[in-house]
Amino acid sequence: MLEIKNLSKKYKNATRYSVRNLSFTLEDGEIFGFLGKNGAGKSTTIKCITGIIPFEEGSITICGYDISRDPINAKLNIGYVPDHYALYEKLTGREYINYIADIYEVSQEERNTRIEKYIKIFELEASIDSKIRTYSHGMKQKITIMSALVHNPKVWILDEPLTGLDPNSIYQVKECMKQHAAEGNIVFFSSHLIDIVEKLCGRIAIIKKGHIKCIKSVDEIEASGISLDQFYLNTIENDED
């Protein structure tokens, strides 16, 4: 459902590639963790996958659609929670989610069912019809997550999604991720919270200076007798390319 082949991205006037010759394939029903330091290339990779920025080399295919050649159909299969989001704050939470549902052509019945489901999950009953400008950071994050799920995307991409959320909301987001993958979808999850990645993800990739250092299953790492935390530190501290 998500295949990346030899992806390379270099920003204008940059001296090096932000992402270089990156390749991996994600399977149906998978929660995939994407780890690396700040500036390693995580957000650049995600922005290439979602079609936000163009790339020089390689290809990205989402549910059979090439993101460069057929961006509309590719993006219809994506739900995206960015690390830095911008909402239309003059709208209410419900109005904003309905606006996103309109873009994705979600039927009235389906959107109503999903919106009510997530209002209850994220405990937004008292604020969903208030203006977004009155929301806390955590409440805005919840609206961003809900709008990414309103069309039930085949590929749900989250870039540091748990920042600013209270413990109960973090738990609910994790449960949503598990449920989404259990229904045969892909969850692509970038985070610095390695303990959460370790508990949620079946496989992980570690990126350093734009290069994938390794792709391994969490079970494989645990079977070697070390924690994901220690494996991650060992990998990024290794100077070999």
Side-chain angles (χ1 to χ4, degrees):
M1 288 171 66
L2 173 59
E3 184 178 45
I4 301 174
K5 289 183 177 179
N6 308 118
L7 173 67
S8 293
K9 171 63 186 177
K10 185 177 183 181
Y11 289 99
K12 186 177 180 181
N13 299 325
T15 57
R16 67 176 181 87
Y17 281 87
S18 296
V19 174
R20 186 64 169 162
N21 200 31
L22 185 149
S23 298
F24 57 80
T25 301
L26 304 192
E27 306 293 340
D28 299 2
E30 182 170 18
I31 303 179
F32 187 86
F34 198 43
L35 304 176
K37 291 182 177 180
N38 290 335
K42 299 191 305 298
S43 290
T44 294
T45 301
I46 288 172
K47 287 174 182 175
C48 289
I49 294 171
T50 54
I52 293 173
I53 58 174
F55 46 90
E56 285 70 35
E57 301 169 31
S59 65
I60 298 172
T61 305
I62 299 158
C63 299
Y65 300 105
D66 187 293
I67 191 67
S68 298
R69 298 176 182 175
D70 195 353
I72 299 299
N73 280 316
K75 291 176 184 180
L76 284 172
N77 288 285
I78 296 173
Y80 176 42
V81 180
D83 54 345
H84 299 291
Y85 52 82
L87 304 175
Y88 296 135
E89 300 203 353
K90 291 184 179 180
L91 299 179
T92 68
R94 191 187 302 274
E95 287 170 341
Y96 180 80
I97 297 168
N98 270 295
Y99 166 68
I100 300 299
D102 285 341
I103 291 173
Y104 285 97
E105 300 179 341
V106 182
S107 72
Q108 197 66 50
E109 182 180 358
E110 286 180 319
R111 75 175 67 181
N112 288 345
T113 300
R114 289 174 191 151
I115 290 172
E116 291 306 315
K117 170 187 171 183
Y118 292 119
I119 287 173
K120 186 174 293 185
I121 286 174
F122 292 118
E123 301 177 341
L124 289 173
E125 292 92 341
S127 55
I128 192 66
D129 293 307
S130 299
K131 302 288 187 183
I132 293 175
R133 66 188 176 202
T134 67
Y135 288 5
S136 67
H137 170 78
M139 291 165 68
K140 290 176 181 177
Q141 185 78 337
K142 292 175 186 179
I143 294 297
T144 305
I145 291 168
M146 290 167 66
S147 62
L149 289 173
V150 72
H151 60 296
N152 194 29
K154 294 293 185 183
V155 180
W156 186 19
I157 299 172
L158 305 97
D159 192 358
E160 298 291 343
L162 304 178
T163 305
L165 294 181
D166 58 81
N168 184 57
S169 296
I170 290 174
Y171 172 79
Q172 296 298 350
V173 172
K174 292 191 294 183
E175 289 301 300
C176 286
M177 292 166 69
K178 291 176 186 176
Q179 181 62 37
H180 201 65
E183 293 171 358
N185 303 301
I186 285 173
V187 178
F188 184 94
F189 177 42
S190 171
S191 179
H192 289 117
L193 304 174
I194 295 179
D195 56 331
I196 291 178
V197 171
E198 186 170 26
K199 292 174 182 176
L200 278 178
C201 299
R203 287 193 303 154
I204 59 100
I206 298 175
I207 187 170
K208 178 182 177 182
K209 296 181 180 178
H211 294 269
I212 293 289
K213 300 294 289 183
C214 74
I215 298 175
K216 285 185 177 289
S217 74
V218 173
D219 288 344
E220 183 182 358
I221 294 167
E222 291 177 347
S224 69
I226 62 174
S227 66
L228 178 57
D229 223 343
Q230 190 59 56
F231 179 82
Y232 169 76
L233 291 173
N234 293 346
T235 302
I236 62 172
E237 289 173 0
N238 187 342
D239 289 331
E240 294 181 9
D241 288 332

